[in-house]
Amino acid sequence: MISIHILIAMLLILGAVLVPLVYFKKTKHISLLVFLLGGVGFYLSSQVLENILHRIVLQPQADGTIALRTENPWLYVLYGIAAAAIFEETARWVIFYWLQKKRPLTFRDGIAYGLGHGGIEALFVGIVSLLNFWVIAQVVTQGNAQTLAQIPQAVIDNVRSMSAGSIYLLAFERILAILIQILLTYWVWKAIKEKAPVYFLAALGLHALIDLAPALAQVGVLPPLAVEALLLVEVVALVFLTKKILKVYLKERFNHGDQSNA
């Protein structure tokens, strides 16, 4: 039964990416190239460059244990939120800076890049993780002793303890993350558009703050439900702040055509 919930959660995450992509492509004519650039930006910054730094600094063991996490959890949290913010926001800055050299940035570029960045993150962090859980759940259900022996016991115990609620909570977090990535994108977008580095610095701080709750959960300070509640509050606050800094663009560019990116 848990396998069905995992599959439904995967479809929910996939829908949270594809439905807005199709909608904004048809109604606002967002650029698929910028969408792909968003995906590339996330992949190179987070899955390649940041991972290289993690291997150097954290030196994770084969079983997934990290000495810094157990010996100095607060330093581990600070390192984690700083690294994620710096790598991902710098990727946005570099891509928007390059794009601005080619043509003026449009409001639609923020949606397209944010969807690409958040969509690929949802794939790697959400769908791939759920797919792994699904495969292990199948192995556990079948009870193949030879195959089970090749999987760490901690992973098996984790899958066995999973509930439908925890699975949908993970999907909810990934869907929230997509919205967060779109909102954060506009802070860097505005920094490049208006040549105002203060918005890039704000994006770094906001990104680190949003990552704080999940990082605290990794070291056992916060329970999962508290993390989701905090993320929801942060998303509401981020929507308010982002609308405030984009007030002029929301009125003059997005709502009145902005055909330059069609």
Side-chain angles (χ1 to χ4, degrees):
M1 187 63 181
I2 201 70
S3 298
I4 295 175
H5 294 299
I6 292 174
L7 290 175
I8 293 173
M10 290 169 63
L11 289 174
L12 288 173
I13 295 171
L14 189 61
V17 178
L18 294 182
V19 171
L21 175 62
V22 172
Y23 173 79
F24 285 116
K25 178 59 181 173
K26 287 187 174 182
T27 62
K28 304 301 179 184
H29 309 290
I30 64 172
S31 169
L32 290 180
L33 174 60
V34 178
F35 172 81
L36 293 174
L37 287 173
V40 170
F42 170 79
Y43 180 78
L44 290 179
S45 64
S46 176
Q47 302 301 301
V48 178
L49 298 177
E50 188 180 345
N51 266 344
I52 292 173
L53 182 64
H54 288 342
R55 291 182 181 278
I56 295 171
V57 175
L58 300 178
Q59 300 179 352
Q61 302 303 306
D63 61 356
T65 59
I66 298 172
L68 183 63
R69 182 162 56 194
T70 54
E71 295 173 3
N72 198 328
W74 290 105
L75 183 58
Y76 171 82
V77 166
L78 290 174
Y79 163 78
I81 63 175
I86 291 169
F87 276 97
E88 292 184 44
E89 300 311 319
T90 300
R92 287 189 233 265
W93 190 92
V94 169
I95 290 175
F96 278 139
Y97 182 82
W98 172 81
L99 194 60
Q100 177 82 322
K101 295 289 185 181
K102 303 292 182 181
R103 61 163 174 79
L105 294 178
T106 69
F107 194 88
R108 294 179 176 88
D109 291 330
I111 296 175
Y113 185 98
L115 270 175
H117 187 120
I120 296 300
E121 181 183 39
L123 173 65
F124 278 94
V125 180
I127 293 180
V128 170
S129 296
L130 285 170
L131 183 59
N132 288 335
F133 290 147
W134 184 85
V135 171
I136 295 170
Q138 297 305 302
V139 173
V140 170
T141 301
Q142 293 168 5
N144 188 314
Q146 185 176 0
T147 306
L148 286 172
Q150 300 174 11
I151 303 174
Q153 187 59 44
V155 174
I156 295 173
D157 293 340
N158 184 38
V159 171
R160 282 175 172 163
S161 66
M162 289 179 71
S163 64
S166 65
I167 291 168
Y168 292 122
L169 205 59
L170 190 153
F172 176 71
E173 180 183 323
R174 286 302 96 211
I175 293 169
L176 275 185
I178 294 170
L179 177 57
I180 288 169
Q181 295 296 3
I182 294 173
L183 295 170
L184 287 175
T185 294
Y186 275 109
W187 290 77
V188 181
W189 178 91
K190 187 175 174 71
I192 297 297
K193 183 82 173 173
E194 299 184 359
K195 297 181 174 61
V198 65
Y199 292 106
F200 174 71
L201 296 176
L204 290 174
L206 289 168
H207 193 136
L209 181 62
I210 288 168
D211 281 350
L212 181 58
L216 289 173
Q218 287 185 30
V219 296
V221 174
L222 287 178
L225 197 58
V227 172
E228 308 310 325
L230 284 172
L231 282 176
L232 186 57
V233 171
E234 289 170 343
V235 168
V236 172
L238 187 57
V239 168
F240 174 79
L241 291 173
T242 305
K243 284 180 65 177
K244 204 166 184 63
I245 69 160
L246 294 177
K247 187 175 182 181
V248 172
Y249 294 102
L250 284 168
K251 288 182 177 179
E252 297 181 2
R253 303 294 180 93
F254 191 56
N255 293 335
H256 293 89
D258 189 9
Q259 296 298 319
S260 59
N261 198 34

